[in-house]
Amino acid sequence: RSSPDVFESRMEKRNEVKKQPVGYSKQAEFVRCMEEKARPIFFAEGLGTKSSKGGFTRDKTLDSILNVEMVKEKSAEEIKQIWNQYFSAKDTVYAVIPAEKFDLMWKRAQKCPSFLYALPRKEGYEFFVGQWSGTELHFTSLINVQTQGETAPSQLVLYHYPELQKEKGIVLMTAEMDSKFLVVHEAQCLANQVQLFYATDRSETYELVQTFNHRSSEFKYMSVIAELEQSGLGRALRPSQVSDKS
């Protein structure tokens, strides 16, 4: 009676509480909010089983790197920005590949699972064999293959993740490399060549991949170098520029 305004205010608050669902509390809501903020988008890298060959990770799934549930509501462009921003601070190779381009690469990889890539060195070129194993692409130098055969260790592995391909139209890619043999810009050159040869619209370029896989006696090493130089990827790694980046 002495404070009718205060009484009305308390009654309104009481009615608001009655409208809230059973078990509701602002503290619980606050805790959930903080948990959402604390939950990482990316997990610690390298989860999975370490292989004895070159120390690369076996069974390196996308779920072991990225909190997939947290990005499902985001657009392809947002996921691309998150992926690129995260890996740009790391000493590795990464990419976000359009679904159509990866689809073409994947179909061709089934028919032609291996190819020979050329990496510019101070004196000429060093050749690397790339071999698809599922959605992983393993690279090792040709000299290793010639001397060790099937036991030759990988020096670079590209991991492709098509989990978001249908829903978001993108395929995420990252890599592991043996830093004793390759630095990042050299690994990037090899990764760029995969799209150059497997995702090309030029029939002459993809013909080199087909020849290597199905008519090896006709394959010419210099044709790879010529294609690399024509694309500009070879010029990007000339010795003078390599020394500047080191």
Side-chain angles (χ1 to χ4, degrees):
R1 291 174 181 173
S2 62
S3 304
D5 292 341
V6 174
F7 175 76
E8 288 294 332
S9 174
R10 288 178 177 174
M11 288 301 293
E12 286 178 5
K13 289 182 179 179
R14 184 182 177 190
N15 289 333
E16 285 178 8
V17 171
K18 283 184 176 180
K19 291 177 183 177
Q20 292 169 353
V22 177
Y24 174 86
S25 77
K26 289 187 176 180
Q27 183 178 1
E29 187 179 68
F30 174 76
V31 170
R32 281 196 299 272
C33 180
M34 293 307 294
E35 284 178 345
E36 285 292 329
K37 290 182 178 179
R39 193 181 302 168
I41 291 183
F42 286 92
F43 301 114
E45 289 181 80
L47 294 178
T49 306
K50 282 289 183 180
S51 170
S52 59
K53 291 180 64 177
F56 293 104
T57 309
R58 293 175 55 194
D59 305 320
K60 186 172 182 175
T61 64
L62 182 60
D63 285 323
S64 72
I65 303 172
L66 180 70
N67 192 330
V68 178
E69 287 299 319
M70 283 193 70
V71 301
K72 278 188 175 179
E73 300 303 317
K74 298 185 181 296
S75 68
E77 186 58 34
E78 288 174 319
I79 297 172
K80 179 179 179 179
Q81 291 176 359
I82 291 170
W83 187 264
N84 288 343
Q85 184 176 357
Y86 178 76
F87 282 104
S88 64
K90 299 186 177 297
D91 211 23
T92 190
V93 175
Y94 59 94
V96 178
I97 306 171
E100 300 80 8
K101 180 174 286 189
F102 181 78
D103 212 26
L104 178 60
M105 291 168 55
W106 180 242
K107 287 177 181 176
R108 289 175 169 177
Q110 306 308 298
K111 299 176 182 177
C112 302
S114 59
F115 188 60
L116 193 71
Y117 302 85
L119 187 64
R121 294 298 196 188
K122 289 183 179 180
E123 297 180 0
Y125 289 82
E126 182 178 7
F127 287 98
F128 282 77
V129 176
Q131 178 74 39
W132 287 86
S133 176
T135 54
E136 296 179 5
L137 181 51
H138 293 249
F139 291 86
T140 190
S141 64
L142 179 60
I143 189 67
N144 277 353
V145 175
Q146 291 172 336
T147 56
Q148 301 181 52
E150 294 182 358
T151 63
S154 300
Q155 294 168 316
L156 169 67
V157 182
L158 303 184
Y159 301 95
H160 301 86
Y161 299 108
E163 284 89 334
L164 302 173
Q165 184 174 4
K166 289 184 179 179
E167 188 177 347
K168 303 295 182 180
I170 55 176
V171 172
L172 304 175
M173 186 272 279
T174 187
E176 288 182 319
M177 64 182 182
D178 191 332
S179 58
K180 296 191 297 292
F181 298 96
L182 292 168
V183 293
V184 172
H185 62 267
E186 292 170 341
Q188 186 67 63
C189 180
L190 292 172
N192 289 342
Q193 287 183 59
V194 179
Q195 294 195 35
L196 170 65
F197 290 103
Y198 278 85
T200 181
D201 293 327
R202 293 183 72 244
S203 58
E204 299 91 336
T205 304
Y206 180 57
E207 178 67 25
L208 293 176
V209 181
Q210 293 176 306
T211 303
F212 182 81
N213 282 268
H214 305 296
R215 303 186 304 278
S216 58
S217 61
E218 300 175 20
F219 183 77
K220 295 180 175 58
Y221 287 34
M222 292 306 296
S223 298
V224 176
I225 295 174
E227 198 68 37
L228 190 61
E229 291 292 342
Q230 181 177 323
S231 70
L233 292 177
R235 289 191 295 275
L237 266 184
R238 288 201 180 280
S240 60
Q241 296 181 1
V242 170
S243 60
D244 292 339
K245 292 182 180 180
S246 300

